[in-house]
Amino acid sequence: MQVRTNRRGGDLPSRNGWMRGQRHPRSGLLRISCVESGTERAQAAREVVASRYGLVPPEESDVIVALGGDGLVLRVIHQYLHLGRPIFGMNCGTVGFLLNAYQPDTLLERIRAANEVILHPLEMKAKTIDGRDESSLAFNEVSIFRHSRQTASVRISVDGIIRMPALAADGVIVATPTGSTAYNLSAHGPVIPLGADLLALTPVSPFRPRHWRGALLQRTSVVEFENLDPHKRPLIASADFKEVHDVVSVRVEEDRSRIVTLLFDCDNSLAERITAEQFAC
């Protein structure tokens, strides 16, 4: 994850991001595409945006506006990652941690003035009992879970060194800074500030070792999980939305070749919101 902050603590644009002020050659306006979550609120919001600014397909756009909640933003990131378009989310859901407020009146001005956050995903490579190789990307977290009534039994290696010979738990998570405020936080993992270049390795309901609460790892770390009893204690590996069943091993590392740009209002710094989560009651 690449983030630069200004003196007020906001997220500054990266020079690797989109060209601010990019305009439609005829209308002089930014070409906007809009994706909504399907709820009545999001559908109504899309109609407002379409009537005021006009819409184009994502492939022809300069920016994609996402109308929904955090889950929709993740889906938009995955679906349109190949286009390289920046994403400006407006909250039409519940929490809206990765979104801005829904205020359509000054949308174009907000997009042009927005601060950028550059994200790189984790890549999960999993092997299954029947010999299949599966891979997927995760912008929040990669998770390993038990898939039976019995606890998972997992060996954990970091950069080729066995750090945990046997973890007995419901599961274990590798979370990015943006993902650290999601399921990782619910599992009592640490919240990671943006720009810290760290990943969170967090157990889920650990049984042995009972008092292990996880670790903070360098962003460049390669984390490997081995199922020590794949036939008796089956596991599921998930990367954001994709699940792989009956895994025997999972490798996780950051993919710096993939980039997504999220846009945030100047008074809606993602870095500040993540920091504030550490003091939430």
Side-chain angles (χ1 to χ4, degrees):
M1 175 173 299
Q2 178 179 347
V3 177
R4 297 163 58 223
T5 58
N6 62 20
R7 294 179 181 176
R8 293 178 298 171
D11 310 313
L12 279 177
S14 165
R15 295 185 182 275
N16 294 327
W18 71 314
M19 296 298 294
R20 193 179 310 284
Q22 188 176 5
R23 298 170 181 267
H24 191 288
R26 294 182 181 177
S27 68
L29 299 177
L30 291 172
R31 295 170 296 183
I32 295 177
S33 180
C34 193
V35 180
E36 45 89 6
S37 63
T39 66
E40 291 185 6
R41 181 183 176 190
Q43 290 175 348
R46 187 184 190 280
E47 291 180 4
V48 171
V49 173
S51 65
R52 296 187 183 182
Y53 305 104
L55 297 176
V56 300
E59 294 77 10
E60 300 174 12
S61 69
D62 297 314
V63 59
I64 298 175
V65 173
L67 300 172
D70 292 320
L72 174 73
V73 171
L74 278 179
R75 286 184 173 86
V76 170
I77 287 173
H78 281 272
Q79 185 173 356
Y80 299 109
L81 178 63
H82 65 288
L83 296 179
R85 303 296 191 269
I87 299 168
F88 185 92
M90 289 198 291
N91 187 19
C92 296
T94 51
V95 178
F97 195 84
L98 297 175
L99 299 101
N100 303 283
Y102 174 67
Q103 297 170 351
D105 294 342
T106 56
L107 179 58
L108 297 182
E109 292 81 359
R110 292 168 67 196
I111 290 174
R112 292 195 184 99
N115 293 327
E116 299 177 0
V117 173
I118 307 298
L119 305 180
H120 301 281
L122 299 174
E123 182 179 32
M124 176 187 78
K125 294 182 178 180
K127 294 183 180 294
T128 65
I129 292 177
D130 58 6
R132 289 181 296 113
D133 292 319
E134 300 278 355
S135 63
S136 189
L137 300 177
F139 287 87
N140 264 6
E141 74 272 324
V142 173
S143 305
I144 315 294
F145 295 111
R146 65 185 177 96
H147 196 216
S148 72
R149 62 181 179 81
Q150 294 180 300
T151 59
S153 182
V154 182
R155 176 177 293 140
I156 304 175
S157 300
V158 180
D159 295 329
I161 300 173
I162 297 175
R163 296 295 187 182
M164 182 66 63
L167 170 67
D170 281 351
V172 60
I173 302 168
V174 181
T176 66
T178 51
S180 71
T181 61
Y183 185 45
N184 172 76
L185 181 58
S186 298
H188 306 290
V191 174
I192 303 175
L194 285 179
D197 287 338
L198 296 172
L199 301 173
L201 178 65
T202 303
V204 180
S205 301
F207 179 63
R208 292 286 189 276
R210 189 179 300 274
H211 299 293
W212 186 61
R213 291 294 178 258
L216 288 172
L217 305 176
Q218 294 292 329
R219 170 184 55 77
T220 56
S221 298
V222 178
V223 187
E224 296 175 284
F225 304 96
E226 180 185 352
N227 188 349
L228 297 176
D229 198 353
H231 294 282
K232 186 178 179 181
R233 301 172 186 270
L235 299 179
I236 295 176
S238 67
D240 283 352
F241 304 115
K242 181 174 180 178
E243 289 187 350
V244 180
H245 291 238
D246 297 324
V247 297
V248 294
S249 65
V250 177
R251 177 186 174 97
V252 180
E253 61 182 315
E254 189 181 59
D255 184 352
R256 298 289 291 181
S257 69
R258 313 285 186 110
I259 296 174
V260 68
T261 303
L262 298 184
L263 303 178
F264 291 90
D265 288 326
C266 295
D267 59 353
N268 184 37
S269 164
L270 182 61
E272 167 58 27
R273 298 177 76 179
I274 289 178
T275 298
E277 278 294 317
Q278 299 179 78
F279 300 92
C281 297

